[in-house]
Amino acid sequence: MTVVSTTLFALSIAFLVVAAATALVSIAAVGQFVVTNRRARLARHESVRSHYGSFSLTS
């Protein structure tokens, strides 16, 4: 049986909490971006792929 120090255990838990919070914030940001651009996309009669494909190519 391997003994893990309490400091290492606490740091790993803290890392997982920060990673989960970061993932949730990232998902929320992408969702907000999609929702705010929906009206413009629908007004131009563009598909999701054609509208957001242009964003990935302009980087």
Side-chain angles (χ1 to χ4, degrees), residues 23-51:
L24 287 175
V25 168
S26 297
I27 290 169
V30 169
Q32 182 66 29
F33 179 75
V34 170
V35 167
T36 56
N37 287 310
R38 184 175 188 269
R39 285 192 181 174
R41 182 181 63 81
L42 291 178
R44 289 186 229 151
H45 302 289
E46 290 181 313
S47 68
V48 172
R49 185 174 191 174
S50 65
H51 184 73

Side-chain angles (χ1 to χ4, degrees), residues 12-24:
S12 64
I13 295 297
F15 175 78
L16 290 175
V17 168
V18 169
T22 303
L24 287 175

